[in-house]
Amino acid sequence: MQSSVRVARREPRPRNELKGLAGRLEVRLRACSTTLGDPVDSYLHVGTGALRLVLDEAWLRQQAAAARTRQQLESLIRKLGESMQLDYAQFSSLAGRPAVPGSSVKGNVRSRLELSFAPKGGVVRCCLIRATEEPLEPPEPGEHGWRHFRIWRQALEFEREPACDYSEGQGQVCLCCDLFGTAGLQGLVEFSDFPAERAAIERVSLPTGEKLEAAKPGSTFAGRVAFRNLEAWELGLLLYGMGLRESRLGRPVLLGKVKYRRYPNLVFGAVRYEVAALELAPFSQPLDAGGARVEPGARVEGEPLDGLVRALVGVARAQLEGELLDVDEVGELERVSAEV
């Protein structure tokens, strides 16, 4: 284990001018199945964070109306506390329609990229903007975060410098903070919300007693990812963070609540990203990557997009040779879960 590494930082590129690649990706997100052993279809829960309590309002009104003394009211309050239950945690929605917030998708892609960098020569490309207090040793099975650490241990078992904070007068930021933003600095990549294309929400009770509203396996959500001022290898890195490697359809990755837990015939959080189209803005520079070229204003979709994704990921890997980890997080989760 390396004791400490330095975070590579640079001045962020200007935000007030257009230079490099600019455009958007049309992206689909699908709740899929696990890939090892007997495949199990996965539910997806991305919540609002709000909790609702359930009680019998008719009973409460009747009891309150019947109470005549202080003792009766105190007894009613005690009974009320015993009768209230947590309702099913709500699935996130937009205008009454199930949706995965763009902030959740952005955080998912960003954190995967941050965890995909290994030190090279005592330097690592990205800080951990959301996880500065990660343990340096594997937690014991059953402790908080033990699966997460074992999946990503190559990026976690060393101490790194504090996370970037441009608002504190810090003049330089790491690669991921330049791309996705940090305190005091707007990102170059922006994610829309991902409303449901086709999603059925089901109420699921977990063996632990937790209750969730969850999108059923096969549910799909669609949104857009806008980018500007990127180089070709950075666009490839963005695709890499979605789990894309050889085609426009990525491999299964983890997203949402209870994604690290495994119950008999009940799995949460396995999803696949699919890029439906890549479109360059008219004011963008041409895209050149591994022999593939896209002109400003052009749109790429279908089979030609497979080759373009492969080329972009290839130039990212070449640019970051020896630094970029290739972790199959769903496969690793199955492996570490089977060990205990």
Side-chain angles (χ1 to χ4, degrees), residues 248-299:
R248 63 189 185 274
L249 179 62
R251 66 190 182 190
V253 296
L254 297 172
L255 169 69
K257 191 174 177 63
V258 296
K259 57 181 177 288
Y260 288 125
R261 300 182 199 170
R262 287 296 179 263
Y263 307 104
N265 300 316
L266 186 59
V267 172
F268 276 78
V271 301
R272 299 181 84 169
Y273 288 93
E274 179 183 5
V275 176
L278 183 152
E279 186 174 348
L280 289 186
F283 50 80
S284 173
Q285 289 186 352
L287 190 165
D288 286 296
R293 182 177 175 89
V294 181
E295 298 295 337
R299 177 183 175 90

Side-chain angles (χ1 to χ4, degrees), residues 150-192:
R150 281 162 173 78
I151 292 170
W152 297 105
R153 66 181 306 156
Q154 291 173 272
L156 294 175
E157 56 186 359
F158 55 85
E159 185 177 356
R160 67 182 82 200
E161 295 172 334
C164 303
D165 188 342
Y166 202 67
S167 65
E168 294 294 327
Q170 188 179 51
Q172 296 183 324
V173 295
C174 72
L175 172 61
C176 283
C177 286
D178 195 10
L179 295 179
F180 295 96
T182 187
L185 183 68
Q186 182 183 22
L188 299 172
V189 182
E190 296 296 333
F191 293 72
S192 75

